[in-house]
Amino acid sequence: MHIAEMHITPIAISDPPLLNAAGLHAPYALRIIVELVSDCGISGLSEIPGSQAVEAALSNAREVLIGRDPCDLNRLMASLDERFGTDGADSRGLAPWDQRRLVHIFSAVEVACLDMVGKDMGRPVVDLIGGAARDRVPFAAYLFFKYEGAGGALAFATDPRCPGLATRPPAGRPRPEAHRRSSPGDVRDAFGFESIKLKGGAREPEIEVDSILALREAFGPDTPLRLDPNAIWTVDTAIHWGKKMEGILEYYEDPVRGQDNMARVRHALSIPLATNMCTTSFADLPQSIRLGAEDIILADHHYWGGLRASVELGRICRTFGRGLSMHSNSHVGISLAAMTHLGAAVPNLTYALDTHYPWQAEDVIAGGPLEFEGGCLPLSREPGLGVELDRDALARLHRNYLACGLKNRNDEIEMQKVEPGWTFQQTRW
Ligand code: GKR
Ligand code: MG
């Protein structure tokens, strides 16, 4: 079997006006759907975050991929590495999300190849990356502060399942909201999630810590809580407010920027620290271990170079006594399916995984959105990832992409539309 065709389709999915340290989500989140087709007509799918640079690089990768064996992944990756060159240390960028090019391409190619090979063998992807350590993969509720009125009519009109969007938070105290529902309680009942993560870095630390304390009061000590200020607090701020959350947080995610600062906070508090911003590549691991920069690494196959690389990361974490959880960005069902296979394959991925999926009202997979049961997704035993394309939906979301004019994610520009003059700061509080 060899790769005969490669189709790259950028899409734009409606996204609510979620706030974060970098600004505000645009009315659309960008993703790229990749489909590789074999000489015998078997298709392999993958999904990655969208940007012009990644789309252009994927197009360039086509000539490397056509004619190659989808099982020959090590050599395929070496050819891509040779063509594109390893991402430099700074190319991750300062925003909460990762902007490196090569890891995205690796991930897009590897997941689509594994889907194709799994379909050819009649085996689910999890069996190709080590086999299932669990049959159900737990996910966490992901709460954000939302900006009422931002995003224009489009954001509201296209997402009929966002009743919470229209509610006005008390002045000066935007309240965290949960997915398509209007309260964190609703989201727990609707999806059954047990852990709750609050996206921080959007409001003054006092408001965010109050929100965590309110969640603790509302849900009791058995609900694991996480707070993620996306690295824009100072060390002093993180320690001061961290003290008030000792014994309450399951983990404190990227309160500060950089491994040195994370290590300082970690040594001052008795809360586990987690990251998807300071230790984000294999090259970062030696220093992370030397400094003790964090307790938990948030894997993400889009950013760590694929599913097999993320399984390797799991083993390294186990060796050095680090925990492993999973990071997410706005995404549709192909990414969610891949995250579920990965979550099932890594024995020590014992924290409920992040997902933005309940915030999304549109998808490209046939048969409607994947459904959470008791906060978990059951692992598919269908060949490959276990999802198929809804080609009409893909075409519609591609038209959205062409019509909306967005080419790259830029939450600062979106924020400036509602708060003129607002600028992103690497360290704000
Ligand atoms: O979607 O606004 C967002 C998040 O802030 C996302 O971009 C982050 O990458 O969820 C992410 C995180 O855990 O840092
Ligand atoms: Mg994070």
Side-chain angles (χ1 to χ4, degrees):
M1 181 164 69
H2 66 258
I3 300 167
E5 294 167 38
M6 179 184 195
H7 305 283
I8 303 160
T9 314
I11 60 168
I13 51 171
S14 337
D15 210 21
L18 308 180
L19 288 161
N20 64 32
L24 177 68
H25 282 215
Y28 290 106
L30 306 180
R31 305 294 287 178
I32 299 175
I33 307 301
V34 175
E35 183 180 18
L36 300 177
V37 185
S38 75
D39 52 328
C40 39
I42 300 177
S43 113
L45 300 174
S46 61
E47 172 192 342
I48 51 170
S51 74
Q52 263 182 322
V54 170
E55 192 193 331
L58 273 173
S59 300
N60 276 331
R62 187 182 270 112
E63 66 187 59
V64 175
L65 299 173
I66 300 298
R68 302 288 289 266
D69 177 348
C71 289
D72 199 19
L73 285 170
N74 287 330
R75 283 206 198 94
L76 257 180
M77 297 308 164
S79 306
L80 291 170
D81 193 278
E82 210 171 282
R83 165 154 299 221
F84 295 107
T86 310
D87 296 298
D90 293 342
S91 49
R92 184 201 174 279
L94 297 170
W97 57 96
D98 196 317
Q99 294 164 60
R100 286 172 300 153
R101 210 172 45 154
L102 193 62
V103 286
H104 284 82
I105 296 171
F106 274 3
S107 170
V109 171
E110 188 230 40
V111 173
C113 284
L114 291 172
D115 187 32
M116 181 188 279
V117 173
K119 285 175 181 158
D120 184 51
M121 292 172 65
R123 306 296 296 247
V125 162
V126 68
D127 288 358
L128 308 182
I129 55 173
R134 58 188 65 79
D135 297 322
R136 288 159 54 77
V137 177
F139 286 84
Y142 200 159
L143 271 55
F144 281 78
F145 291 92
K146 285 196 291 197
Y147 202 106
E148 191 207 6
L154 198 55
F156 303 97
T158 52
D159 189 352
R161 286 179 289 181
C162 281
L165 281 173
T167 49
R168 180 179 291 280
R173 294 231 161 182
R175 60 167 205 224
E177 296 196 7
H179 309 142
R180 299 170 195 141
R181 315 287 158 164
S182 50
S183 78
D186 288 348
V187 81
R188 285 244 312 195
D189 295 347
F191 300 96
F193 297 131
E194 288 186 357
S195 304
I196 300 179
K197 165 169 168 171
L198 174 61
K199 169 57 60 185
R203 286 294 174 256
E204 289 75 9
E206 185 184 358
I207 296 177
E208 299 188 345
V209 174
D210 273 1
S211 301
I212 287 289
L213 300 178
L215 288 168
R216 162 74 167 215
E217 209 178 298
F219 292 103
D222 295 335
T223 297
L225 299 174
R226 309 155 181 187
L227 175 64
D228 178 9
N230 274 132
I232 65 162
W233 290 2
T234 65
V235 168
D236 286 349
T237 301
I239 294 173
H240 172 80
W241 291 105
K243 291 269 178 215
K244 301 187 190 309
M245 298 183 288
E246 282 180 327
I248 291 181
L249 284 187
E250 176 186 38
Y251 57 71
Y252 202 9
E253 186 176 322
D254 288 311
V256 291
R257 196 173 290 281
Q259 291 180 328
D260 285 311
N261 288 336
M262 285 284 282
R264 286 166 64 199
V265 174
R266 178 168 178 252
H267 294 134
L269 295 175
S270 60
I271 310 176
L273 258 70
T275 189
N276 63 281
M277 293 184 73
C278 86
T279 300
T280 58
S281 70
F282 289 96
D284 292 336
L285 287 171
Q287 183 72 345
S288 150
I289 303 302
R290 266 193 295 276
L291 292 171
E294 69 278 314
D295 301 275
I296 299 147
I297 294 182
L298 276 72
D300 182 327
H301 69 274
H302 310 91
Y303 296 151
W304 282 84
L307 299 175
R308 294 170 318 135
S310 304
V311 171
E312 277 174 38
L313 172 65
R315 193 175 286 265
I316 295 172
C317 283
R318 194 155 40 148
T319 305
F320 289 99
R322 298 287 187 267
L324 195 69
S325 187
M326 201 185 284
H327 163 265
S328 92
N329 270 309
S330 309
H331 63 90
V332 291
I334 300 173
S335 279
L336 186 61
M339 290 158 74
T340 307
H341 284 275
L342 176 59
V346 177
N348 52 320
L349 209 152
T350 45
Y351 292 95
L353 320 186
D354 283 358
T355 177
H356 286 55
Y357 195 62
W359 287 107
Q360 259 59 65
E362 295 159 325
D363 211 327
V364 295
I365 58 171
L370 297 172
E371 295 288 344
F372 295 93
E373 294 169 6
C376 296
L377 277 180
L379 177 65
S380 162
R381 296 303 305 173
E382 295 298 314
L385 291 172
V387 291
E388 294 298 337
L389 273 182
D390 173 339
R391 293 189 186 276
D392 291 339
L394 183 70
R396 183 166 34 79
L397 295 173
H398 178 57
R399 285 196 298 275
N400 272 358
Y401 171 78
L402 297 174
C404 79
L406 290 175
K407 295 285 177 250
N408 293 301
R409 178 172 178 181
N410 189 330
D411 293 11
E412 183 183 42
I413 287 183
E414 293 305 319
M415 191 67 161
Q416 286 167 350
K417 292 179 188 166
V418 290
E419 290 189 13
W422 189 91
T423 51
F424 167 67
Q425 287 168 28
Q426 284 190 48
T427 309
R428 189 180 291 278
W429 286 291

